[in-house]
Amino acid sequence: MKPPRLPVPGKAGLIQRAGHYRTIGRGLLVCVTIALATTFIADHYGGPTLLYALLLGMSLHFLSEEGRCQAGIEFAARSVLRLGVALLGARMTFEQVGALGIGPVLMVVATVVCVILAGAVMARMLGLSRELGLLTGGAVGICGASAALALSAVMPRDADTERNTILTVVGVTTLSTLAMVIYPLIAGGLSLANPQAGIFLGATIHDVAQVVGAGYMISEQTGDTSTLVKLVRVAMLVPAVMAFMWLFRTSRQAQGGANRVPMLPGFLVGFVVLVVINSLGLIPEAVSEGMSTLSRGCLVTAIAALGIKTSFQKLAVVGWKPVILMVLETLLLLGLVLGVVVLAGLGT
């Protein structure tokens, strides 16, 4: 008689894990496919990649209600998003920030704080939630859709979180595209010198890609300056995320500790570590560019996932108030920066 076959240790666990990865892979593949398609469209025909990914994802909303893709879509909307935000640190160095001088840095810090606080106040005046005001203020003040995704990642999850994130991404992407066209005309109308125009564009336009496009539309010097100023705004993402974590952790603890936010999320640590390593010159330029490209790809994939999870019907219920809120925040930022650049002569 043959002895009975003994089960292979851990075999059941390996099979279960493989099935889990396969389940994630289906939904993740859908999101990656959307990201590749929209990147191709934007590169060849122009337009904002993130907005394309969002709209195409929303057209596939039915996949979020179908079991085979749900896990992968959730994975893309959370884990891939955080990886993309962390990799943003590979494009920054402390030397770049120091090259601008103290004036533009102080202006960026002050305007970011003012816009975020004003966003919370204006949201309450419009009958909207404080959370939406803080999220839109952070997106407008810091770096557009990337900031919206990073800040929403540390905010407590509730029925409105994803809807607010989608609204913010759509709003700031649209406004940033309009600003890319209009703001260089404003700079020309005010006869701003190239350094002044660079500071103005970098401190006011929401998304990095639109800042670069608007800056080099005027001159190479304006493009270089606007990109550096924009990177300083991106750096404000770290203290903003930490402030949001403290704010919402305190809020949730007062309500009994539900939905507590982690004290120091891994993606924020990764962001800071990459900035430090890049500042020390330990990341080759080719690797840094590759990480920036990967970061962009991760963010587009995450946006596609958020789009899939959102329906047009839910967005239609919100109305025009969030749009009005983001327009007011954008005009406030525009007025503050113009006041400093023109009246104080910053950059001359």
Side-chain angles (χ1 to χ4, degrees):
M1 181 180 295
K2 294 182 179 180
R5 293 184 63 184
L6 298 176
V8 178
K11 185 176 180 180
L14 291 175
I15 294 175
Q16 184 179 7
R17 181 168 295 182
H20 175 66
Y21 289 148
R22 188 161 50 248
T23 302
I24 289 178
R26 294 189 187 102
L28 181 59
L29 181 60
V30 172
C31 298
V32 171
T33 302
I34 293 174
L36 292 173
T38 53
T39 300
F40 177 85
I41 293 171
D43 288 345
H44 288 77
Y45 300 101
T49 308
L50 293 176
L51 187 58
Y52 289 159
L54 179 63
L55 295 176
L56 183 55
M58 291 173 69
S59 70
L60 299 175
H61 172 65
F62 66 93
L63 292 177
S64 66
E65 301 172 350
E66 196 271 325
R68 288 180 295 178
C69 293
Q70 279 183 331
I73 292 169
E74 289 289 342
F75 178 81
R78 294 180 64 84
S79 300
V80 175
L81 162 63
R82 297 185 178 203
L83 174 61
V85 174
L87 291 173
L88 284 174
R91 69 170 68 178
M92 292 188 57
T93 65
F94 295 122
E95 182 181 358
Q96 291 172 331
V97 177
L100 283 175
I102 191 64
V105 173
L106 290 178
M107 181 194 68
V108 166
V109 173
T111 54
V112 167
V113 172
C114 286
V115 171
I116 292 176
L117 294 178
V121 174
M122 289 188 290
R124 301 299 294 177
M125 294 173 63
L126 291 170
L128 300 170
S129 67
R130 180 193 64 168
E131 288 76 9
L132 178 58
L134 291 171
L135 182 62
T136 56
V140 169
I142 302 174
C143 55
S146 301
L149 295 173
L151 295 172
S152 67
V154 297
M155 296 175 74
R157 315 300 294 181
D158 56 36
D160 297 328
T161 301
E162 289 176 357
R163 185 187 66 186
N164 289 345
T165 303
I166 290 295
L167 284 169
T168 304
V169 168
V170 171
V172 297
T173 302
T174 303
L175 290 170
S176 185
T177 303
L178 292 173
M180 181 180 66
V181 176
I182 297 172
Y183 286 11
L185 299 177
I186 295 176
L190 295 174
S191 300
L192 298 180
N194 285 337
Q196 283 185 301
I199 293 172
F200 164 59
L201 297 176
T204 51
I205 299 178
H206 310 322
D207 287 314
V208 176
Q210 279 83 349
V211 168
V212 174
Y216 287 105
M217 194 183 300
I218 296 177
S219 70
E220 184 174 351
Q221 184 183 14
T222 300
D224 292 343
T225 303
S226 63
T227 302
L228 287 177
V229 174
K230 185 60 183 177
L231 289 178
V232 175
R233 288 173 68 192
V234 174
M236 288 294 294
L237 192 60
V238 176
V241 168
M242 295 183 70
F244 272 50
M245 286 190 299
W246 175 84
L247 175 65
F248 290 111
R249 172 178 280 271
T250 303
S251 174
R252 291 308 182 191
Q253 285 177 340
Q255 298 174 14
N259 295 328
R260 294 177 65 183
V261 179
M263 184 61 73
L264 197 61
F267 78 88
L268 183 60
V269 175
F271 180 95
V272 175
V273 168
L274 283 176
V275 172
V276 173
I277 294 175
N278 199 30
S279 298
L280 296 174
L282 300 179
I283 302 179
E285 184 177 353
V287 175
S288 177
E289 291 179 359
M291 294 176 76
S292 296
T293 302
L294 179 58
S295 170
R296 183 70 174 177
C298 288
L299 293 178
V300 176
T301 301
I303 280 289
L306 288 173
I308 293 174
K309 295 176 65 176
T310 304
S311 67
F312 287 105
Q313 183 178 4
K314 291 180 180 178
L315 290 178
V317 173
V318 180
W320 287 97
K321 287 185 179 180
V323 177
I324 295 172
L325 173 63
M326 283 181 275
V327 170
L328 291 175
E329 291 166 344
T330 300
L331 292 176
L332 173 63
L333 179 62
L334 175 64
L336 290 173
V337 172
L338 274 180
V340 174
V341 171
V342 175
L343 299 180
L346 193 64
T348 55

